[in-house]
Structure formats: structure tokens, C-alpha cells
Amino acid sequence: MLQTIPAAVTGGISLILYGFIASSGVKMLIKEKIDFNNQKNIFIASVILVSGIGGLAFKFGNPENPIITITSIAVAMILGIILNAMLKNKTNKI
């Protein structure tokens, strides 16, 4: 059934879908007033964007027929959580 849909149509739908997801993410960052003057936030956002958009995925087992595949979006999420936990905010305590 899906093979009957022209490639141009699925390409256009994919473009809109991923653009909508990215726009929703930016909207959420603005709404939550994330401070990008903080280097920690820039670093974490950069790693998430590059790994998610760049297609960083982990495959375990035979490369041609992996047992487990962790998709790029899942890897980006995992990296974001780990980095946020590892990197502490600098606070000046007197």
C-alpha cells in the first residue's frame, strides 16, 4: 500500500514532519526560557542537534543484521540526558 505513494509526496511529508518537530523543539526552548548564555546549555543542545540530525545510531550484533538498533533520535535523547547529568552548573557560593 505505501509503495503506491509517489516518492515526491513522501519526501514532502517527511520534510514537513521533521521541520514541525524541530520548530516545536525551538518553541519549547523559548517557552521554558532556556538560557543560551550558559555554555552548558549550548554544548548540550549542540550535541543533541548534531547527533540527531547527523544520523548517529548504534547497532549491536552483526552489522548487516543487527540484534539491537538504537536510532539517531534515541541516541540524541540519551546523550542529552547523560550530558545534563554530568555537567554541573557553576554557582558562586560565598
Side-chain angles (χ1 to χ4, degrees):
M1 177 75 179
L2 290 176
Q3 295 173 346
T4 60
I5 301 172
V9 173
T10 56
I13 290 171
S14 296
L15 183 69
I16 292 170
L17 174 67
Y18 290 115
F20 184 82
I21 292 169
S23 299
S24 295
V26 171
K27 178 182 173 184
M28 182 176 57
L29 293 173
I30 293 169
K31 182 180 177 186
E32 296 298 322
K33 298 178 182 162
I34 302 300
D35 181 17
F36 280 105
N37 288 322
N38 183 344
Q39 293 295 316
K40 172 190 169 186
N41 294 336
I42 293 174
F43 181 74
I44 294 171
S46 300
V47 169
I48 290 171
L49 287 171
V50 169
S51 61
I53 295 170
L56 177 63
F58 294 131
K59 296 181 181 183
F60 299 97
N62 182 356
E64 296 172 7
N65 189 15
I67 297 170
I68 297 173
T69 300
I70 302 176
T71 63
S72 60
I73 300 208
V75 170
M77 178 191 68
I78 292 166
L79 286 173
I81 291 169
I82 291 170
L83 286 173
N84 192 45
M86 286 176 51
L87 300 173
K88 302 291 181 193
N89 285 327
K90 291 182 181 179
T91 56
N92 295 330
K93 294 183 179 180
I94 300 175

